[in-house]
Amino acid sequence: MAYTRPGFMMKIPTSSVRKAPYLFRAGFGVELHRFDPFNSAQGIYFDMELGKSFTFGFSSVQTADSTAPAFLGKTGYTPPVEFGFHLQQRVYTYNDVSLSMGLQDIVFQNNQDAEQVLSLNTDLLSFFLVLASEKDLGDYKMNTYMGFGSGGLGPMDSIKVITDSTQQGNAGVFVGFLLKTPYFARTGGMDIVGEFDGTGVNVGL
C-alpha cells in the first residue's frame, strides 16, 4: 500500500547518501478505491535506520475488498490483513549518488481458507537494487531513483492464469522522482512525487 514502506516514495524503494534525519518514522496511510459502495485500504508503518546504513521497516495493512463492485458488502468477505517486513542496506556512495539493495514486502497474510494463521506471500517478495541521485536546485531539491526489482516491483497481472507450464518469476525496472518544494515549509512542506513500476504510474503530493 502507498507510503507504508521505508522512504518517502509511494511504493518503490529509495536510497540516500545521508543518514536518516530521524530516530524512527511511524504513521498511517489510507487508499480510497471507491465511494459508492465504499471500499478502502488502510495501514500503519514503522521504520528506522539501524547500525551503519541498514534500514528496517514494518507495516501492517488491511487490503481493499477485491470483490466485483456490484457485490461489495454483500458477500460477507473480509479483506485479509498483511504484515510486512522490509530490509535495506546502502552499499555505495559517491558525491550525491548512492546505491542500495534489499528485500521489500516480506509479507505474511492471514489465510481464511487454510488452517495456518499466517502464510508467506511469495508473489510479493521483492529483491531490489536502487540507484539514487540527490540534487540541490536552489530552493528546490530533486531526488531521482531508478532500479531493478522482482516480485511486487515487477509486472503483475490482476487476474492469475493457471497453465501447465512452469511459472516464471516476474521482474522489472522502476523509476521515480521526488521534488521537494519551498512551499508550505512551516507545515512540513509540499513534495511532488512520481513513479513507475510493475503496477503502473503513481503521482502524488
Side-chain angles (χ1 to χ4, degrees), residues 103-158:
L103 279 174
Q104 180 172 283
D105 291 337
I106 308 171
V107 172
F108 294 86
Q109 295 176 318
N110 61 342
N111 193 332
Q112 300 175 343
D113 300 326
E115 294 182 358
Q116 67 263 31
V117 177
L118 291 175
S119 60
L120 177 65
N121 186 336
T122 56
D123 292 336
L124 297 178
L125 184 63
S126 304
F127 170 77
F128 66 86
L129 285 169
V130 55
L131 183 68
S133 173
E134 301 166 275
K135 299 286 188 183
D136 287 331
L137 306 173
D139 293 334
Y140 297 82
K141 293 183 179 180
M142 171 68 84
N143 298 348
T144 56
Y145 309 99
M146 62 182 66
F148 172 87
S150 62
L153 292 170
M156 298 185 71
D157 292 330
S158 58

Side-chain angles (χ1 to χ4, degrees), residues 46-87:
F46 172 89
D47 64 72
M48 65 185 304
E49 193 170 292
L50 299 171
K52 185 179 180 180
S53 307
F54 180 78
T55 301
F56 167 80
F58 168 79
S59 57
S60 178
V61 174
Q62 182 170 36
T63 59
D65 193 339
S66 57
T67 306
F71 298 101
L72 282 175
K74 300 177 182 179
T75 62
Y77 172 77
T78 301
V81 176
E82 299 178 348
F83 301 93
F85 298 89
H86 318 280
L87 310 172

Side-chain angles (χ1 to χ4, degrees), residues 175-204:
V175 294
F177 72 88
L178 171 64
L179 178 64
K180 293 182 174 293
T181 75
Y183 307 116
F184 310 109
R186 294 184 178 180
T187 56
M190 184 180 74
D191 299 340
I192 301 174
V193 179
E195 62 187 34
F196 168 80
D197 63 3
T199 62
V201 177
N202 304 302
V203 180

